[in-house]
Amino acid sequence: MARRLLVAALAVAMTLLAVMTTATAQTPSWRHVPVPAQVRPQAGLNGAVAFGPDRAWAVGADAVGRAAPGFPLVLRWNGTAWQRQGLPGIRWQGELLSIAATSPAAVWAVGRDAAGGARLLRFDGRAWSESRPPRGVVLTDVVAGGGETWLIGARDGAQVLLRRDGRGWQELPVPPGAVYGLHILAADDVWAAGAANSGAAVSHWDGKAWQQTIVNRFPRSAVGSVLAVSPTEVWAGGTAGFIGGPPGKPIPPLLVRWDGQAWSRVIMPTDFGSVSSLAPGPSGALGWVSVARSQKWGPPGSHPPLVPGPDFLAWNGQSFAEYSEPTVAGEGDSYVLRLTPVPGTSAVWSVGRAAGPESTFAPRVLRFG
């Protein structure tokens, strides 16, 4: 009888261990996805766009040195691995800053060459080629959505917004201050994140004019990402702009939400850093927030006073779940985190750059799901 009881107990214990092991193995987390071996360590990524589980693009710069501007870098995801994409005929040195698309056959990337000139690339479903950028405009970002493609740039020190109109670019009015990010729902429904003289600002374009709201009045506060879910739910993230605190003077992150009547600040489980990106979940509602250089106050009396905070926050509609990026051998933490959701799935990419050996930097690609 004792032997039977022992065997039964062992069987139960093995079953529980198997269940716990399976649950642990299935717990979702962020994982590191390597870039192609031919991409030099001194490289970085600035943005990505995905069309599904087996198709995505990422852009940045490769072979950047202390006295070398590097070369434009384009990576393509085929569902299994990232591959470097050739750019025949494109021989200038410089960097690709942003990428966006309205379809797999209408992909745009903006950049700048070593002389500071604007560069505009287009992928037509078959190959990349150069497109003539708007005259006199230094481009910084390209954003797509709702069948629209817009450019953010500057001319003679003044900000410029341009909308793809047929085969050309139509210049549009700009809200007061600076625009750092856009979320485009339609030609007459565009949200802009930025800053004005009195603080962080979010503006809405109705096809005729901008209506701007100051969402945070701290000096030097700004929002760089905006996500419009519905007329009664809009999110914007950036930095609160407060200078002070412990050595290094970290700045608190800023996340605000519109409920259809007013903007309110949303408390996050981190004390310092910058909201660098917002990404929707499968339903279109807010799914993820990335926080660059995230830090928290440590326990009272601890030294140093700050400890690492969460790099990613998953929003379930009521609260945040905290996630840290995985450790990568030979590299430090990321200091650029750009989120890109994978349509039709719960997966999301994060691309950017991380601290490399001997004060260098390295490309960083992470994936959740």
Side-chain angles (χ1 to χ4, degrees):
M1 177 65 71
R3 184 175 180 180
R4 291 178 180 176
L5 291 175
L6 178 60
V7 171
L10 287 173
V12 171
M14 293 297 291
T15 301
L16 290 174
L17 180 60
V19 170
M20 292 174 63
T21 302
T22 301
T24 301
Q26 293 178 348
T27 300
S29 62
W30 286 88
R31 60 184 177 87
H32 176 242
V33 182
V35 298
Q38 66 266 34
V39 176
R40 296 174 177 86
Q42 191 75 343
L45 297 170
N46 294 320
V49 63
F51 303 103
D54 61 351
R55 189 179 303 179
W57 294 97
V59 298
D62 189 18
V64 181
R66 288 182 172 86
F71 295 87
L73 174 64
V74 177
L75 302 180
R76 185 171 187 171
W77 174 255
N78 62 9
T80 303
W82 287 96
Q83 300 175 331
R84 183 163 189 164
Q85 183 76 15
L87 299 173
I90 299 175
R91 298 182 177 87
W92 49 270
Q93 289 185 271
E95 182 175 16
L96 292 174
L97 303 170
S98 176
I99 186 170
T102 54
S103 75
V107 186
W108 295 88
V110 302
R112 60 184 170 220
D113 59 30
R119 296 287 180 165
L120 182 61
L121 275 60
R122 181 174 182 177
F123 181 76
D124 61 4
R126 298 183 302 274
W128 285 92
S129 61
E130 288 217 59
S131 180
R132 181 176 297 178
R135 186 182 299 274
V137 179
V138 178
L139 300 175
T140 57
D141 202 0
V142 57
V143 184
E148 295 277 305
T149 303
W150 288 37
L151 299 174
I152 302 176
R155 181 193 295 115
D156 298 329
Q159 192 153 45
V160 176
L161 292 177
L162 301 111
R163 170 182 176 264
R164 186 70 178 173
D165 182 14
R167 296 184 177 180
W169 296 96
Q170 172 194 7
E171 192 164 335
L172 297 174
V174 181
V179 172
Y180 301 127
L182 298 170
H183 186 189
I184 306 169
L185 298 174
D188 58 356
D189 192 0
V190 181
W191 293 84
N197 290 335
S198 51
V202 175
S203 305
H204 181 254
W205 172 256
D206 62 4
K208 298 180 180 179
W210 291 97
Q211 180 179 356
Q212 186 176 82
T213 303
I214 303 301
V215 297
N216 186 276
R217 293 188 178 277
F218 280 178
R220 293 182 292 277
S221 65
V223 285
S225 299
V226 59
L227 175 66
V229 179
S230 71
T232 59
E233 185 178 357
V234 182
W235 299 78
T239 58
F242 175 78
I243 304 297
K249 298 182 178 179
I251 301 174
L254 176 64
L255 183 65
V256 292
R257 181 179 184 178
W258 167 256
D259 63 4
Q261 296 183 338
W263 288 91
S264 59
R265 188 165 180 175
V266 179
I267 302 300
M268 297 188 297
T270 186
D271 297 308
F272 303 102
S274 172
V275 173
S276 56
S277 191
L278 305 175
S283 68
L286 178 67
W288 288 95
V289 178
S290 64
V291 185
R293 300 187 182 276
S294 177
Q295 293 179 300
K296 290 181 176 182
W297 288 111
S302 62
H303 184 78
L306 299 177
V307 298
D311 302 296
F312 304 101
L313 301 173
W315 176 253
N316 64 6
Q318 296 182 331
S319 62
F320 289 108
E322 304 176 35
Y323 292 86
S324 296
E325 66 173 323
T327 301
V328 180
E331 298 179 6
D333 295 335
S334 296
Y335 53 91
V336 174
L337 299 163
R338 296 280 186 264
L339 297 173
T340 301
V342 180
T345 75
S346 59
V348 61
W349 291 101
S350 172
V351 304
R353 61 186 69 192
E358 300 180 358
S359 301
T360 62
F361 57 88
R364 177 64 55 86
V365 180
L366 306 173
R367 181 184 171 99
F368 185 92

